[in-house]
Amino acid sequence: MSGTSMVVLIVLISVGFGVLYDMYKKHLEFKEKTLNHNQDSDKQNQLLKQQVSALEERVQVLEKIVTDEGYNVQKEINKL
């Protein structure tokens, strides 16, 4: 193997490992971004679940008020 081919081989190996290292760094950044997105998503889901339960409780209270007999009597009085 001549000196010129040895230099070319060393340059190719160095560039190849540089490219592989850069690809690995990009992969790690993508994984970190994905994990952060999933955590944000879980927090948002938890918040939405809490809001839904609060709304369900409010709807139940409103249903009790509307189905109450006193409400119907008051409604009829107001019609007069």
Side-chain angles (χ1 to χ4, degrees), residues 25-61:
K25 281 186 0 185
K26 294 288 182 187
H27 174 70
L28 289 179
E29 290 173 5
F30 176 75
K31 281 179 81 174
E32 182 179 353
K33 186 177 177 182
T34 304
L35 287 175
N36 287 339
H37 178 69
N38 287 342
Q39 289 173 352
D40 292 342
S41 206
D42 290 341
K43 289 177 186 176
Q44 187 178 14
N45 284 343
Q46 224 24 12
L47 178 64
L48 289 174
K49 286 179 183 178
Q50 290 172 350
Q51 289 177 345
V52 166
S53 355
L55 289 172
E56 285 176 346
E57 289 174 14
R58 291 180 71 183
V59 167
Q60 288 176 356
V61 169

Side-chain angles (χ1 to χ4, degrees), residues 14-28:
S14 299
V15 169
F17 277 118
V19 168
L20 289 175
Y21 177 70
D22 192 44
M23 288 173 59
Y24 180 69
K25 281 186 0 185
K26 294 288 182 187
H27 174 70
L28 289 179

